Short mmCIF file of all heavy atoms in Angstrom, two decimals:
data_model
loop_
_atom_site.label_atom_id
_atom_site.label_comp_id
_atom_site.label_asym_id
_atom_site.label_seq_id
_atom_site.Cartn_x
_atom_site.Cartn_y
_atom_site.Cartn_z
N ASN A 109 0.84 -1.17 0.00
CA ASN A 109 0.00 0.01 -0.01
C ASN A 109 0.85 1.24 0.00
O ASN A 109 1.80 1.36 0.74
CB ASN A 109 -0.91 0.00 1.19
CG ASN A 109 -1.95 -1.10 1.19
OD1 ASN A 109 -2.20 -1.64 0.13
ND2 ASN A 109 -2.43 -1.45 2.33
N ALA A 110 0.51 2.21 -0.81
CA ALA A 110 1.28 3.45 -0.90
C ALA A 110 0.81 4.44 0.17
O ALA A 110 -0.34 4.40 0.56
CB ALA A 110 1.08 4.07 -2.28
N VAL A 111 1.70 5.27 0.63
CA VAL A 111 1.40 6.31 1.56
C VAL A 111 1.70 7.65 0.91
O VAL A 111 2.78 7.86 0.38
CB VAL A 111 2.27 6.18 2.88
CG1 VAL A 111 2.01 7.34 3.79
CG2 VAL A 111 1.96 4.86 3.57
N TRP A 112 0.70 8.47 0.84
CA TRP A 112 0.86 9.80 0.30
C TRP A 112 0.84 10.80 1.39
O TRP A 112 -0.13 10.83 2.20
CB TRP A 112 -0.27 10.12 -0.67
CG TRP A 112 -0.22 9.30 -1.92
CD1 TRP A 112 -0.77 8.04 -2.10
CD2 TRP A 112 0.41 9.64 -3.18
NE1 TRP A 112 -0.51 7.58 -3.33
CE2 TRP A 112 0.20 8.54 -4.04
CE3 TRP A 112 1.12 10.72 -3.62
CZ2 TRP A 112 0.69 8.52 -5.31
CZ3 TRP A 112 1.56 10.73 -4.92
CH2 TRP A 112 1.36 9.64 -5.73
N ILE A 113 1.83 11.65 1.52
CA ILE A 113 1.87 12.70 2.53
C ILE A 113 1.70 14.00 1.77
O ILE A 113 2.55 14.37 0.93
CB ILE A 113 3.19 12.66 3.32
CG1 ILE A 113 3.30 11.34 4.07
CG2 ILE A 113 3.26 13.85 4.28
CD1 ILE A 113 4.59 11.15 4.75
N GLY A 114 0.65 14.74 2.09
CA GLY A 114 0.45 16.04 1.44
C GLY A 114 -0.53 15.95 0.29
O GLY A 114 -0.88 16.97 -0.31
N SER A 115 -1.03 14.80 -0.03
CA SER A 115 -2.02 14.67 -1.10
C SER A 115 -3.37 15.19 -0.58
O SER A 115 -3.69 15.02 0.59
CB SER A 115 -2.14 13.20 -1.52
OG SER A 115 -3.19 13.05 -2.43
N PHE A 116 -4.11 15.82 -1.46
CA PHE A 116 -5.43 16.33 -1.05
C PHE A 116 -6.49 15.43 -1.68
O PHE A 116 -6.64 15.44 -2.88
CB PHE A 116 -5.60 17.78 -1.47
CG PHE A 116 -6.92 18.35 -1.15
CD1 PHE A 116 -7.28 18.60 0.19
CD2 PHE A 116 -7.87 18.61 -2.11
CE1 PHE A 116 -8.52 19.11 0.53
CE2 PHE A 116 -9.13 19.11 -1.76
CZ PHE A 116 -9.41 19.37 -0.46
N LEU A 117 -7.21 14.70 -0.86
CA LEU A 117 -8.30 13.80 -1.30
C LEU A 117 -7.86 12.86 -2.39
O LEU A 117 -8.57 12.53 -3.31
CB LEU A 117 -9.49 14.63 -1.78
CG LEU A 117 -10.15 15.53 -0.73
CD1 LEU A 117 -11.25 16.36 -1.34
CD2 LEU A 117 -10.69 14.75 0.45
N GLY A 118 -6.59 12.42 -2.31
CA GLY A 118 -6.10 11.46 -3.27
C GLY A 118 -5.70 12.05 -4.59
O GLY A 118 -5.32 11.35 -5.53
N GLU A 119 -5.83 13.36 -4.75
CA GLU A 119 -5.49 14.02 -6.01
C GLU A 119 -3.95 14.18 -6.13
O GLU A 119 -3.26 14.25 -5.16
CB GLU A 119 -6.12 15.41 -6.07
CG GLU A 119 -7.64 15.39 -6.02
CD GLU A 119 -8.24 14.79 -7.28
OE1 GLU A 119 -7.70 14.95 -8.39
OE2 GLU A 119 -9.24 14.09 -7.12
N ASP A 120 -3.48 14.19 -7.34
CA ASP A 120 -2.04 14.33 -7.61
C ASP A 120 -1.71 15.84 -7.70
O ASP A 120 -1.34 16.35 -8.76
CB ASP A 120 -1.68 13.61 -8.89
CG ASP A 120 -0.19 13.53 -9.11
OD1 ASP A 120 0.56 13.72 -8.15
OD2 ASP A 120 0.22 13.27 -10.26
N LEU A 121 -1.84 16.52 -6.57
CA LEU A 121 -1.57 17.90 -6.50
C LEU A 121 -0.35 18.13 -5.60
O LEU A 121 -0.17 17.45 -4.60
CB LEU A 121 -2.77 18.71 -5.94
CG LEU A 121 -4.07 18.57 -6.74
CD1 LEU A 121 -5.20 19.19 -5.99
CD2 LEU A 121 -3.91 19.19 -8.15
N PRO A 122 0.45 19.12 -5.93
CA PRO A 122 1.64 19.39 -5.06
C PRO A 122 1.19 19.89 -3.71
O PRO A 122 0.23 20.66 -3.57
CB PRO A 122 2.42 20.41 -5.82
CG PRO A 122 1.42 21.08 -6.71
CD PRO A 122 0.40 20.07 -7.01
N PHE A 123 1.95 19.55 -2.67
CA PHE A 123 1.70 20.06 -1.33
C PHE A 123 2.43 21.39 -1.16
O PHE A 123 3.65 21.43 -1.36
CB PHE A 123 2.15 19.05 -0.28
CG PHE A 123 2.04 19.54 1.13
CD1 PHE A 123 0.80 19.69 1.74
CD2 PHE A 123 3.18 19.90 1.87
CE1 PHE A 123 0.67 20.17 3.02
CE2 PHE A 123 3.07 20.33 3.18
CZ PHE A 123 1.85 20.49 3.74
N MET A 124 1.76 22.40 -0.81
CA MET A 124 2.35 23.72 -0.63
C MET A 124 2.38 24.00 0.90
O MET A 124 1.40 24.38 1.46
CB MET A 124 1.55 24.79 -1.32
CG MET A 124 1.37 24.49 -2.82
SD MET A 124 2.94 24.37 -3.71
CE MET A 124 3.15 26.02 -4.13
N GLY A 125 3.49 23.72 1.52
CA GLY A 125 3.61 23.95 2.97
C GLY A 125 4.80 23.23 3.52
O GLY A 125 5.73 22.91 2.80
N ALA A 126 4.79 23.00 4.80
CA ALA A 126 5.90 22.33 5.47
C ALA A 126 5.36 21.25 6.41
O ALA A 126 4.34 21.45 7.06
CB ALA A 126 6.76 23.33 6.27
N ILE A 127 6.04 20.14 6.44
CA ILE A 127 5.73 19.06 7.37
C ILE A 127 6.97 18.80 8.23
O ILE A 127 8.03 18.51 7.66
CB ILE A 127 5.29 17.76 6.64
CG1 ILE A 127 4.07 18.06 5.76
CG2 ILE A 127 5.04 16.66 7.63
CD1 ILE A 127 3.64 16.89 4.92
N GLY A 128 6.88 18.95 9.50
CA GLY A 128 8.02 18.80 10.38
C GLY A 128 8.21 17.38 10.85
O GLY A 128 9.35 16.95 11.16
N GLN A 129 7.11 16.61 10.96
CA GLN A 129 7.22 15.27 11.48
C GLN A 129 6.02 14.44 11.01
O GLN A 129 4.96 15.01 10.78
CB GLN A 129 7.24 15.27 12.99
CG GLN A 129 7.48 13.91 13.65
CD GLN A 129 7.46 14.00 15.14
OE1 GLN A 129 6.43 14.20 15.74
NE2 GLN A 129 8.63 13.84 15.77
N VAL A 130 6.22 13.17 10.80
CA VAL A 130 5.09 12.28 10.50
C VAL A 130 5.09 11.15 11.52
O VAL A 130 6.15 10.65 11.92
CB VAL A 130 5.19 11.78 9.04
CG1 VAL A 130 6.38 10.91 8.81
CG2 VAL A 130 3.93 11.04 8.62
N ARG A 131 3.87 10.74 11.91
CA ARG A 131 3.73 9.61 12.82
C ARG A 131 2.71 8.65 12.21
O ARG A 131 1.71 9.08 11.63
CB ARG A 131 3.20 10.11 14.13
CG ARG A 131 4.13 11.05 14.85
CD ARG A 131 3.48 11.63 16.11
NE ARG A 131 4.34 12.66 16.69
CZ ARG A 131 3.93 13.58 17.49
NH1 ARG A 131 2.66 13.63 17.88
NH2 ARG A 131 4.78 14.47 17.99
N PHE A 132 2.99 7.36 12.37
CA PHE A 132 2.07 6.35 11.88
C PHE A 132 1.51 5.60 13.09
O PHE A 132 2.26 5.13 13.95
CB PHE A 132 2.80 5.35 10.96
CG PHE A 132 3.28 5.97 9.69
CD1 PHE A 132 4.56 6.46 9.59
CD2 PHE A 132 2.42 6.06 8.61
CE1 PHE A 132 5.01 7.06 8.44
CE2 PHE A 132 2.87 6.64 7.41
CZ PHE A 132 4.16 7.14 7.36
N TRP A 133 0.15 5.56 13.16
CA TRP A 133 -0.52 4.96 14.29
C TRP A 133 -1.27 3.71 13.84
O TRP A 133 -1.74 3.65 12.70
CB TRP A 133 -1.51 5.96 14.87
CG TRP A 133 -0.88 7.23 15.38
CD1 TRP A 133 -0.66 8.35 14.63
CD2 TRP A 133 -0.37 7.49 16.66
NE1 TRP A 133 -0.06 9.30 15.41
CE2 TRP A 133 0.18 8.80 16.63
CE3 TRP A 133 -0.27 6.75 17.84
CZ2 TRP A 133 0.76 9.38 17.74
CZ3 TRP A 133 0.31 7.32 18.95
CH2 TRP A 133 0.83 8.62 18.91
N ARG A 134 -1.40 2.74 14.71
CA ARG A 134 -2.09 1.51 14.43
C ARG A 134 -3.61 1.76 14.41
O ARG A 134 -4.37 0.98 13.85
CB ARG A 134 -1.78 0.48 15.49
CG ARG A 134 -2.38 -0.89 15.29
CD ARG A 134 -1.91 -1.92 16.33
NE ARG A 134 -0.51 -2.13 16.26
CZ ARG A 134 0.41 -1.72 17.14
NH1 ARG A 134 0.02 -1.07 18.22
NH2 ARG A 134 1.68 -1.95 17.00
N THR A 135 -4.04 2.81 14.98
CA THR A 135 -5.48 3.12 15.08
C THR A 135 -5.71 4.57 14.77
O THR A 135 -4.80 5.38 14.85
CB THR A 135 -5.99 2.76 16.51
OG1 THR A 135 -7.39 2.91 16.56
CG2 THR A 135 -5.36 3.68 17.58
N ALA A 136 -6.91 4.90 14.38
CA ALA A 136 -7.25 6.31 14.11
C ALA A 136 -7.34 7.04 15.44
O ALA A 136 -7.87 6.56 16.44
CB ALA A 136 -8.60 6.37 13.40
N LEU A 137 -6.78 8.27 15.46
CA LEU A 137 -6.82 9.11 16.65
C LEU A 137 -7.90 10.21 16.41
O LEU A 137 -8.05 10.72 15.30
CB LEU A 137 -5.48 9.77 16.89
CG LEU A 137 -4.28 8.83 17.02
CD1 LEU A 137 -3.03 9.63 17.41
CD2 LEU A 137 -4.53 7.79 18.10
N ASP A 138 -8.57 10.54 17.50
CA ASP A 138 -9.56 11.59 17.40
C ASP A 138 -8.90 12.98 17.28
O ASP A 138 -7.68 13.15 17.59
CB ASP A 138 -10.54 11.58 18.58
CG ASP A 138 -9.86 11.84 19.91
OD1 ASP A 138 -9.58 13.02 20.22
OD2 ASP A 138 -9.53 10.85 20.62
N LEU A 139 -9.60 13.93 16.77
CA LEU A 139 -9.07 15.26 16.50
C LEU A 139 -8.47 15.90 17.73
O LEU A 139 -7.43 16.55 17.65
CB LEU A 139 -10.14 16.17 15.88
CG LEU A 139 -9.72 17.54 15.44
CD1 LEU A 139 -8.60 17.46 14.42
CD2 LEU A 139 -10.90 18.32 14.88
N GLU A 140 -9.11 15.80 18.88
CA GLU A 140 -8.59 16.42 20.12
C GLU A 140 -7.25 15.85 20.54
O GLU A 140 -6.35 16.56 20.92
CB GLU A 140 -9.64 16.30 21.20
CG GLU A 140 -10.90 17.09 21.00
CD GLU A 140 -10.62 18.55 20.71
OE1 GLU A 140 -9.79 19.19 21.43
OE2 GLU A 140 -11.22 19.10 19.75
N THR A 141 -7.10 14.52 20.37
CA THR A 141 -5.83 13.90 20.70
C THR A 141 -4.74 14.34 19.75
O THR A 141 -3.61 14.66 20.13
CB THR A 141 -5.95 12.35 20.62
OG1 THR A 141 -6.96 11.94 21.56
CG2 THR A 141 -4.66 11.64 20.96
N LEU A 142 -5.04 14.46 18.46
CA LEU A 142 -4.09 14.94 17.48
C LEU A 142 -3.69 16.36 17.75
O LEU A 142 -2.47 16.70 17.71
CB LEU A 142 -4.68 14.86 16.04
CG LEU A 142 -4.85 13.44 15.49
CD1 LEU A 142 -5.60 13.49 14.17
CD2 LEU A 142 -3.50 12.80 15.32
N LYS A 143 -4.63 17.25 18.08
CA LYS A 143 -4.31 18.64 18.36
C LYS A 143 -3.43 18.75 19.59
O LYS A 143 -2.49 19.52 19.62
CB LYS A 143 -5.60 19.43 18.61
CG LYS A 143 -6.35 19.76 17.33
CD LYS A 143 -7.62 20.59 17.72
CE LYS A 143 -8.42 20.90 16.53
NZ LYS A 143 -9.63 21.69 16.92
N ALA A 144 -3.77 17.97 20.65
CA ALA A 144 -3.00 18.04 21.88
C ALA A 144 -1.56 17.63 21.75
O ALA A 144 -0.68 18.08 22.43
CB ALA A 144 -3.72 17.19 22.98
N ALA A 145 -1.27 16.68 20.84
CA ALA A 145 0.06 16.11 20.71
C ALA A 145 0.77 16.63 19.43
O ALA A 145 1.87 16.18 19.13
CB ALA A 145 -0.02 14.61 20.66
N ALA A 146 0.20 17.60 18.75
CA ALA A 146 0.78 18.06 17.45
C ALA A 146 2.21 18.52 17.56
O ALA A 146 3.00 18.19 16.73
CB ALA A 146 -0.09 19.13 16.88
N LEU A 147 2.56 19.27 18.58
CA LEU A 147 3.91 19.81 18.70
C LEU A 147 4.65 19.26 19.89
O LEU A 147 5.58 19.86 20.42
CB LEU A 147 3.84 21.32 18.79
CG LEU A 147 3.19 22.01 17.58
CD1 LEU A 147 3.01 23.50 17.83
CD2 LEU A 147 3.96 21.76 16.32
N VAL A 148 4.26 18.05 20.34
CA VAL A 148 4.82 17.45 21.56
C VAL A 148 5.66 16.21 21.14
O VAL A 148 5.22 15.46 20.27
CB VAL A 148 3.68 17.04 22.49
CG1 VAL A 148 4.21 16.29 23.70
CG2 VAL A 148 2.92 18.27 22.92
N ASP A 149 6.75 15.98 21.82
CA ASP A 149 7.50 14.75 21.64
C ASP A 149 6.79 13.65 22.44
O ASP A 149 6.94 13.58 23.62
CB ASP A 149 8.95 14.91 22.13
CG ASP A 149 9.77 13.63 21.99
OD1 ASP A 149 9.23 12.64 21.50
OD2 ASP A 149 10.93 13.65 22.42
N VAL A 150 6.00 12.87 21.73
CA VAL A 150 5.15 11.88 22.38
C VAL A 150 5.97 10.74 22.99
O VAL A 150 5.47 9.95 23.79
CB VAL A 150 4.05 11.33 21.49
CG1 VAL A 150 3.06 12.42 21.09
CG2 VAL A 150 4.59 10.62 20.27
N THR A 151 7.23 10.57 22.59
CA THR A 151 8.06 9.53 23.11
C THR A 151 8.81 9.94 24.38
O THR A 151 9.51 9.17 24.97
CB THR A 151 9.08 9.01 22.10
OG1 THR A 151 9.93 10.08 21.67
CG2 THR A 151 8.36 8.46 20.85
N SER A 152 8.68 11.22 24.74
CA SER A 152 9.35 11.72 25.95
C SER A 152 8.73 11.07 27.19
O SER A 152 7.55 10.82 27.28
CB SER A 152 9.15 13.24 26.06
OG SER A 152 9.67 13.71 27.28
N PHE A 153 9.57 10.79 28.18
CA PHE A 153 9.10 10.11 29.40
C PHE A 153 8.17 10.99 30.24
O PHE A 153 7.40 10.47 31.00
CB PHE A 153 10.31 9.67 30.27
CG PHE A 153 11.10 8.57 29.68
CD1 PHE A 153 12.38 8.76 29.19
CD2 PHE A 153 10.55 7.31 29.55
CE1 PHE A 153 13.08 7.73 28.62
CE2 PHE A 153 11.27 6.25 29.00
CZ PHE A 153 12.50 6.49 28.54
N ASP A 154 8.21 12.28 30.03
CA ASP A 154 7.32 13.15 30.83
C ASP A 154 5.98 13.46 30.14
O ASP A 154 5.24 14.29 30.58
CB ASP A 154 8.04 14.42 31.27
CG ASP A 154 8.50 15.24 30.06
OD1 ASP A 154 8.58 14.69 28.96
OD2 ASP A 154 8.80 16.42 30.26
N VAL A 155 5.74 12.83 29.02
CA VAL A 155 4.47 13.00 28.28
C VAL A 155 3.60 11.76 28.43
O VAL A 155 4.08 10.65 28.24
CB VAL A 155 4.76 13.28 26.78
CG1 VAL A 155 3.46 13.34 25.98
CG2 VAL A 155 5.52 14.58 26.61
N ASP A 156 2.39 11.96 28.79
CA ASP A 156 1.42 10.84 28.96
C ASP A 156 0.44 10.89 27.79
O ASP A 156 -0.62 11.49 27.85
CB ASP A 156 0.69 10.95 30.28
CG ASP A 156 -0.20 9.76 30.55
OD1 ASP A 156 0.07 8.66 30.00
OD2 ASP A 156 -1.23 9.92 31.25
N HIS A 157 0.83 10.20 26.68
CA HIS A 157 -0.03 10.16 25.51
C HIS A 157 -0.99 8.97 25.62
O HIS A 157 -0.51 7.84 25.80
CB HIS A 157 0.79 10.07 24.24
CG HIS A 157 0.02 10.30 22.98
ND1 HIS A 157 -0.80 9.31 22.44
CD2 HIS A 157 -0.06 11.37 22.18
CE1 HIS A 157 -1.33 9.78 21.35
NE2 HIS A 157 -0.98 11.04 21.17
N PRO A 158 -2.29 9.17 25.47
CA PRO A 158 -3.23 8.09 25.70
C PRO A 158 -3.14 6.93 24.66
O PRO A 158 -3.61 5.83 24.93
CB PRO A 158 -4.63 8.77 25.61
CG PRO A 158 -4.35 10.00 24.81
CD PRO A 158 -2.98 10.45 25.12
N GLN A 159 -2.54 7.20 23.50
CA GLN A 159 -2.48 6.17 22.45
C GLN A 159 -1.00 5.79 22.15
O GLN A 159 -0.74 5.21 21.08
CB GLN A 159 -3.16 6.69 21.20
CG GLN A 159 -4.63 6.87 21.34
CD GLN A 159 -5.38 5.56 21.51
OE1 GLN A 159 -4.93 4.52 21.07
NE2 GLN A 159 -6.52 5.62 22.17
N LEU A 160 -0.09 6.06 23.04
CA LEU A 160 1.31 5.79 22.74
C LEU A 160 1.56 4.35 22.41
O LEU A 160 2.42 4.02 21.56
CB LEU A 160 2.20 6.22 23.91
CG LEU A 160 3.71 6.13 23.69
CD1 LEU A 160 4.11 7.01 22.46
CD2 LEU A 160 4.47 6.53 24.91
N SER A 161 0.82 3.45 22.98
CA SER A 161 0.99 2.01 22.64
C SER A 161 0.62 1.69 21.22
O SER A 161 0.97 0.63 20.69
CB SER A 161 0.20 1.15 23.63
OG SER A 161 -1.19 1.38 23.46
N ASN A 162 -0.11 2.60 20.56
CA ASN A 162 -0.48 2.37 19.14
C ASN A 162 0.38 3.10 18.17
O ASN A 162 0.13 3.08 16.98
CB ASN A 162 -1.96 2.84 18.96
CG ASN A 162 -2.90 1.88 19.60
OD1 ASN A 162 -2.82 0.67 19.39
ND2 ASN A 162 -3.83 2.37 20.38
N LEU A 163 1.46 3.73 18.61
CA LEU A 163 2.42 4.37 17.75
C LEU A 163 3.29 3.30 17.06
O LEU A 163 3.90 2.46 17.70
CB LEU A 163 3.34 5.35 18.50
CG LEU A 163 4.35 6.13 17.69
CD1 LEU A 163 3.68 7.01 16.69
CD2 LEU A 163 5.23 6.93 18.61
N VAL A 164 3.28 3.30 15.73
CA VAL A 164 3.99 2.27 14.96
C VAL A 164 5.35 2.81 14.51
O VAL A 164 6.35 2.11 14.61
CB VAL A 164 3.15 1.81 13.75
CG1 VAL A 164 3.92 0.82 12.91
CG2 VAL A 164 1.84 1.26 14.22
N ALA A 165 5.39 4.02 13.96
CA ALA A 165 6.65 4.59 13.45
C ALA A 165 6.51 6.09 13.41
O ALA A 165 5.39 6.64 13.39
CB ALA A 165 6.94 4.07 12.09
N MET A 166 7.65 6.83 13.45
CA MET A 166 7.66 8.25 13.34
C MET A 166 8.97 8.73 12.73
O MET A 166 9.96 8.06 12.83
CB MET A 166 7.38 8.92 14.67
CG MET A 166 8.46 8.62 15.71
SD MET A 166 8.01 9.31 17.37
CE MET A 166 8.75 10.93 17.22
N SER A 167 8.90 9.90 12.13
CA SER A 167 10.09 10.44 11.53
C SER A 167 10.04 11.97 11.60
O SER A 167 9.01 12.57 11.28
CB SER A 167 10.26 10.03 10.09
OG SER A 167 11.43 10.63 9.53
N ALA A 168 11.10 12.58 12.07
CA ALA A 168 11.27 14.02 11.99
C ALA A 168 12.06 14.27 10.68
O ALA A 168 13.10 13.69 10.48
CB ALA A 168 12.01 14.58 13.19
N PHE A 169 11.52 15.09 9.81
CA PHE A 169 12.18 15.27 8.51
C PHE A 169 13.49 16.00 8.60
O PHE A 169 14.24 16.01 7.66
CB PHE A 169 11.20 15.96 7.56
CG PHE A 169 10.05 15.12 7.21
CD1 PHE A 169 8.78 15.44 7.60
CD2 PHE A 169 10.23 13.94 6.48
CE1 PHE A 169 7.69 14.63 7.29
CE2 PHE A 169 9.15 13.12 6.15
CZ PHE A 169 7.88 13.48 6.57
N SER A 170 13.80 16.55 9.77
CA SER A 170 15.11 17.17 9.95
C SER A 170 16.20 16.14 10.20
O SER A 170 17.37 16.47 10.21
CB SER A 170 15.04 18.17 11.12
OG SER A 170 14.72 17.47 12.30
N GLU A 171 15.79 14.90 10.42
CA GLU A 171 16.74 13.77 10.67
C GLU A 171 16.61 12.80 9.51
O GLU A 171 15.61 12.69 8.90
CB GLU A 171 16.40 13.07 12.01
CG GLU A 171 16.42 14.06 13.19
CD GLU A 171 15.88 13.38 14.43
OE1 GLU A 171 15.70 12.14 14.44
OE2 GLU A 171 15.66 14.09 15.43
N ASP A 172 17.70 12.10 9.27
CA ASP A 172 17.70 11.09 8.20
C ASP A 172 17.40 9.72 8.75
O ASP A 172 18.13 8.76 8.54
CB ASP A 172 19.04 11.07 7.48
CG ASP A 172 19.26 12.34 6.66
OD1 ASP A 172 18.28 12.97 6.26
OD2 ASP A 172 20.43 12.70 6.47
N ALA A 173 16.33 9.59 9.53
CA ALA A 173 16.01 8.30 10.09
C ALA A 173 14.48 8.13 10.29
O ALA A 173 13.78 9.11 10.45
CB ALA A 173 16.70 8.17 11.47
N LEU A 174 14.08 6.89 10.26
CA LEU A 174 12.69 6.52 10.60
C LEU A 174 12.76 5.65 11.82
O LEU A 174 13.44 4.63 11.83
CB LEU A 174 12.05 5.76 9.43
CG LEU A 174 10.62 5.23 9.71
CD1 LEU A 174 9.63 6.37 9.87
CD2 LEU A 174 10.19 4.33 8.54
N LEU A 175 12.09 6.06 12.88
CA LEU A 175 12.07 5.31 14.12
C LEU A 175 10.94 4.30 14.05
O LEU A 175 9.75 4.69 13.92
CB LEU A 175 11.89 6.23 15.33
CG LEU A 175 11.70 5.55 16.69
CD1 LEU A 175 12.95 4.80 17.07
CD2 LEU A 175 11.36 6.61 17.75
N ILE A 176 11.27 3.04 14.06
CA ILE A 176 10.26 1.96 14.06
C ILE A 176 10.06 1.53 15.50
O ILE A 176 11.03 1.18 16.18
CB ILE A 176 10.70 0.74 13.21
CG1 ILE A 176 11.05 1.19 11.80
CG2 ILE A 176 9.67 -0.35 13.24
CD1 ILE A 176 9.90 1.67 10.99
N ILE A 177 8.86 1.55 15.96
CA ILE A 177 8.51 1.19 17.33
C ILE A 177 8.25 -0.31 17.37
O ILE A 177 7.36 -0.80 16.62
CB ILE A 177 7.26 1.98 17.84
CG1 ILE A 177 7.41 3.49 17.60
CG2 ILE A 177 6.99 1.66 19.29
CD1 ILE A 177 8.57 4.11 18.31
N GLU A 178 8.95 -1.03 18.22
CA GLU A 178 8.73 -2.45 18.33
C GLU A 178 7.50 -2.73 19.18
O GLU A 178 7.35 -2.11 20.24
CB GLU A 178 9.92 -3.15 18.95
CG GLU A 178 11.16 -3.14 18.06
CD GLU A 178 12.28 -3.96 18.66
OE1 GLU A 178 12.00 -5.00 19.30
OE2 GLU A 178 13.43 -3.56 18.47
N THR A 179 6.64 -3.59 18.72
CA THR A 179 5.45 -3.94 19.48
C THR A 179 5.31 -5.44 19.54
O THR A 179 5.92 -6.19 18.77
CB THR A 179 4.18 -3.36 18.85
OG1 THR A 179 4.02 -3.98 17.57
CG2 THR A 179 4.27 -1.87 18.69
N SER A 180 4.50 -5.91 20.45
CA SER A 180 4.27 -7.34 20.56
C SER A 180 3.10 -7.78 19.69
O SER A 180 2.80 -8.96 19.61
CB SER A 180 3.98 -7.70 22.04
OG SER A 180 2.87 -7.01 22.48
N ASN A 181 2.41 -6.83 19.06
CA ASN A 181 1.23 -7.18 18.23
C ASN A 181 1.64 -7.41 16.82
O ASN A 181 2.33 -6.79 16.18
CB ASN A 181 0.19 -6.05 18.29
CG ASN A 181 -0.38 -5.92 19.69
OD1 ASN A 181 -0.31 -6.84 20.46
ND2 ASN A 181 -0.90 -4.77 19.97
#
């Protein structure tokens, strides 16, 4: 399955903007949870994210790495 970042409704249109980080979750998150964690390092020990166990992978585009989260599922 392909992943499109910045696509609008599946259209092949260029994304005009900036994306600082991308996170992949095993489950859909509600809008309030997304807003609350938008600019927060959810992997920090002092952050209590309600869906952290469903985080699959994340990448900050300022780094040349993709962090894969190991899970038992």
Side-chain angles (χ1 to χ4, degrees):
N109 294 339
V111 175
W112 292 86
I113 299 174
S115 175
F116 178 71
L117 299 176
E119 299 293 324
D120 189 17
L121 300 172
F123 175 71
M124 306 299 272
I127 300 175
Q129 186 181 71
V130 64
R131 299 173 185 159
F132 295 93
W133 301 89
R134 183 175 298 108
T135 187
L137 303 184
D138 63 80
L139 184 57
E140 293 305 314
T141 301
L142 290 171
K143 285 181 181 179
L147 301 175
V148 175
D149 178 2
V150 296
T151 62
S152 174
F153 290 111
D154 59 343
V155 173
D156 184 27
H157 191 282
Q159 294 292 334
L160 187 58
S161 63
N162 287 311
L163 181 63
V164 176
M166 61 185 271
S167 178
F169 293 113
S170 60
E171 302 172 11
D172 291 333
L174 175 65
L175 174 63
I176 305 294
I177 309 298
E178 291 187 36
T179 64
S180 59
N181 296 337

